[in-house]
Amino acid sequence: MDLLINNVCVRDDAPLVDIAIKGGRIAAIEPGIDASADERIDAQGRAAIPGLVEAHLHLDKALLHRRLPARFGTLDEAIRVTGILKSKQEREDVLDRSRQVLDMAVKNGTVAVRAHPDVDLIQGLIGVETLLALKDEYDSLLDLQIVAFPQEGILKSKGTYELMIDALRMGADVVGGCPYNELNWDDTKRHIDIVFELAQRFDAPVDMHADFADDTADQRFAAISYIAQRTIDTGYQGRVSLGHVTSLGALDNDALAPVIEQIRLAGISIVTLPATDLYLGGRKDTQNPRRGLTPVKALHTAGVNVAYSSNNVRNAFTPFGKADMLQIGNLLAHVAQFGVPEHQQAILDMGTHNAARAIGLSHDYGIAVGKQADLIILDTFRVADALLDIPPRLWVIKRGRITVVTQHHCEIHRHSCCCAQ
């Protein structure tokens, strides 16, 4: 074997096992594997989980938080402030900031990223160009997908359509969209149509930012039914992911149920982005401010594929973060009130199996014989404690190769009281 992991916990209700890895794939999972190996890890009973998947991450806009800090914390301000900074983008700076975030993600056990670089007349194709270079540079550490993302709109921003075609011809993997950033409902629908037309033309999946608002008063932020119908009409079931979708959280149960059924029938994955959505949501509310989040529990219960991701790292959209999916999952479990054991497991699945499915990787993903060997050994002894402990990732394994080793040492110095009584 290339790598043999001994005494590892992959299920809390089962005995410890060994994991044998050969040719980048899992060859066997069973107790007491008797095989020679080039490398060995003794997990000593620690838990292993599949590698984490960032299904929605912005690298070209990351780590800009101190250059022009946002003051009001609204979506409109974040777009405006970031637009100013985008106009000053320089290739080496974008590469440096992107590398910093990718390194954070790799250290934290992320094995795949779907990145959304802006494609617009402000920064041109610099986001796509730099990510294409990083895709090769980080190939041994993670799988990197590139979305051609029209943050500033398509119809509203003349020339963006042609840039998106250029991006896809250069090697972008996914057609992005931002339909709410058009001027009216008709243009929003046309934006969605264009995204599906490009997807069909390039045989690429679709991943849009959609319905990012506190309510559905403006129809541009109530587009998901239209998107679901276009998904079905084009035969794109299972190939569409939507980020944010916070306005769904404003619907009452009677209005919400049929929309969720449309999403389920269309096979759309919903990627909730709790750090950004909670930070930007409800900013205009003066009483009982809404905490903008898609209805995770209702979607999950209905069988919709729900994933989560970091989205932005330290910029006007989200002035926090370190590309740690377990940290974001812990946050999501709190705000979605997913506290019972089966719900905590569901959150962990949303950052692993569900996220892999959302970006089209599920066929070769997971801790199972024959699957690609992408996994993490955590410094905790129960899988169920991954979200609770947010433990150090002691070993990260990508395609059967150890890519990260973390040495974690902490001592508590207890001093007994020697004072005279």
Side-chain angles (χ1 to χ4, degrees), residues 49 68 78 87 119-120 124-125 136 141 256 261 269 276 280 308 341 356:
I49 63 172
L68 186 60
S87 68
V119 172
D120 53 45
L125 294 173
D136 291 335
L141 299 172
L256 180 61
E261 179 62 9
S269 292
T276 300
L280 294 179
Y308 68 85

Side-chain angles (χ1 to χ4, degrees), residues 108-150:
N108 288 323
T110 292
V111 298
V113 169
R114 177 175 280 186
H116 293 246
D118 288 14
V119 172
D120 53 45
L121 301 182
I122 301 173
Q123 74 171 27
L125 294 173
I126 189 170
V128 174
E129 291 165 354
T130 51
L131 278 174
L132 286 168
L134 292 172
K135 189 172 187 175
D136 291 335
E137 184 178 324
Y138 279 79
D139 179 64
S140 65
L141 299 172
L142 50 76
D143 298 309
L144 182 59
Q145 297 181 4
I146 302 171
V147 182
F149 172 51

